[in-house]
Amino acid sequence: MDDHFGESVAATYDETSAEMFAPDVVGPAVDLLAELACGGRALELGIGTGRIALPLARRGVPVHGIDLSAAMVARLRAKPGGDAIGVTIGDFAATRVPGTFALAYLVFNTINNLTEQDAQVECFRNAAAHLEPGGCFVVEVGVPDLRRLPPGQTTVPFRVGATSWAYDRYDCATQAMSSNYVTVEDGRGEFRSIPFRYVWPSELDLMARIAGMELVGRWSTWTRAPFTHESEEHVSVWRKPAP
């Protein structure tokens, strides 16, 4: 797994993702995660700068994180309470940490950072290996936006401004995609591309079954709005069965 969230990205990550830090976005996610943790420990795969981990810890849930990017974790450490959260640097599809957890979770499309199906399968196995019997694994991820692609088109723009543009590119044969960003400042252009692998809800369910977990809930929002044909994302919960 390559680190695409180095210093150049980490330095402005919170600002460029500011809408995801809004209380009305973070609050419902923390509410549901705290409920599922039920007083136990939580493991965040891809903890980043602590957008979810910090408020979850303030709710009394002990959180440990795994993240490949030391630069992102440094931003977490610099925030109030960040030094109290344990973090292991490594690939969250394979890295093991001591102990077991009542909850493991992946948010904000982070499962797509694993660009091979095998790595996504291993991520589910890794999450299950960390869970206590009866523990839950939660994934928040978008539904692939392929309905916006007419025949012959591979690109979907999602941000257009006077000095910045952003677009996703899809390969429907391999499920490879990338998010691409173009910015122009003082007459100079900069281009950045981050690779992903999009994944379908049914595919995630099969990965969970391979890892010995079962689906117990799927909604289109953290507030449990129904998941429908028109849903653009989903929050899914799988449980590791008790003996």
Side-chain angles (χ1 to χ4, degrees), residues 60-84:
V61 178
V63 180
H64 190 95
I66 301 174
D67 204 290
L68 192 64
S69 173
M72 295 284 277
V73 172
R75 267 64 188 183
L76 163 64
R77 290 278 183 249
K79 296 177 180 179
D83 57 350

Side-chain angles (χ1 to χ4, degrees), residues 37 39-43 53 56-57 59-64 84-85 101 103 105:
R41 301 171 68 212
L43 177 66
L56 187 59
R59 290 281 296 270
V61 178
V63 180
H64 190 95
I85 294 178
F101 298 81
L103 173 71
Y105 64 94

Side-chain angles (χ1 to χ4, degrees), residues 52-138:
I52 298 297
L54 286 169
L56 187 59
R58 288 194 291 268
R59 290 281 296 270
V61 178
V63 180
H64 190 95
I66 301 174
D67 204 290
L68 192 64
S69 173
M72 295 284 277
V73 172
R75 267 64 188 183
L76 163 64
R77 290 278 183 249
K79 296 177 180 179
D83 57 350
I85 294 178
V87 180
T88 302
I89 300 297
D91 177 354
F92 60 71
T95 300
R96 291 295 305 273
V97 302
T100 58
F101 298 81
L103 173 71
Y105 64 94
L106 266 170
V107 297
F108 198 17
N109 298 322
T110 305
I111 186 69
N112 292 345
N113 288 99
L114 301 172
T115 57
E116 300 291 337
Q117 186 184 61
D118 285 349
Q120 293 174 342
V121 170
E122 288 308 309
C123 176
F124 271 74
R125 284 178 166 151
N126 197 31
H130 282 96
L131 288 176
E132 303 166 355
C136 291
F137 182 38
V138 181

Side-chain angles (χ1 to χ4, degrees), residues 156-168:
V156 177
F158 62 88
R159 185 186 306 155
V160 178
T163 60
S164 64
W165 306 267
Y167 58 92
D168 288 332

